[in-house]
Amino acid sequence: NPIERNVMTSLTHTSPSPITSIDKNGGCTEMGVLFFSSNDYAMGDAKFSYELNIEESEIASVSSLYTENAASQVMYLFDCDEELAEELLDGSSSEWNLDNCDAEKSWKLQGIQAHCAKEMGFIAVESEDENGTVYAVAMDNSILAKMA
């Protein structure tokens, strides 16, 4: 039998200030979500850099996301029907095609996606945004403890 190896992925988050605790209502989503990249980057005046090493199996693809809870949150956020909410949740439709989308709602959608991935047993969700490939993580103290 071949030895099964878990492939690790190193993700980077930069911040203008140190991250010492998790605020469940913080971050740009106001949902306790941090954004990571697999490339070195700096958003604004980023004085602090954090690395999170996780197994690839702990990263959900946005296209695989679904929970009833997440779909209902998307329905509420965009005042849309369930079918469109599911398409927004899994990235098969873009929120930017809607008349009622703005940056805040787009970030909140990414926050809902991160929490959905967590509810499904993943640490991160991989998707695309204006910065390219992004990994959204619904943070908690156990994940904060893994960050170096």
Side-chain angles (χ1 to χ4, degrees):
N1 286 343
I3 297 172
E4 189 173 310
R5 292 191 171 96
N6 295 324
V7 178
M8 298 297 286
T9 298
S10 181
L11 303 177
T12 303
H13 174 81
T14 60
S15 174
S17 56
I19 300 171
T20 57
S21 64
I22 298 303
D23 178 355
K24 292 186 181 194
N25 298 311
C28 62
T29 64
E30 298 178 347
M31 300 171 72
V33 172
L34 293 181
F35 294 96
F36 292 79
S37 173
S38 58
N39 303 312
D40 286 337
Y41 79 102
M43 297 291 285
D45 185 23
K47 296 177 181 158
F48 299 88
S49 182
Y50 297 92
E51 191 172 305
L52 177 63
N53 292 303
I54 59 175
E55 295 178 17
E56 284 188 7
S57 62
E58 296 174 306
I59 302 171
S61 169
V62 72
S63 64
S64 69
L65 294 181
Y66 179 79
T67 65
E68 283 185 37
N69 180 41
S72 68
Q73 289 179 52
V74 175
M75 286 173 61
Y76 178 79
L77 180 63
F78 289 103
D79 190 25
C80 65
D81 65 26
E82 186 174 6
E83 181 179 353
L84 179 56
E86 290 175 13
E87 292 171 359
L88 294 168
L89 183 63
D90 72 13
S92 59
S93 285
S94 172
E95 67 272 24
W96 294 108
N97 293 332
L98 303 176
D99 291 336
N100 67 345
C101 186
D102 58 24
E104 184 176 332
K105 284 186 177 182
S106 182
W107 282 326
K108 289 218 184 272
L109 175 59
Q110 288 177 305
I112 293 168
Q113 290 168 333
H115 282 279
C116 181
K118 186 172 191 169
E119 190 176 338
M120 293 173 65
F122 296 95
I123 291 178
V125 59
E126 177 183 3
S127 64
E128 298 288 325
D129 71 5
E130 68 277 7
N131 297 307
T133 301
V134 64
Y135 299 85
V137 177
M139 296 296 293
D140 60 32
N141 287 327
S142 68
I143 297 170
L144 179 61
K146 293 180 181 185
M147 290 171 46

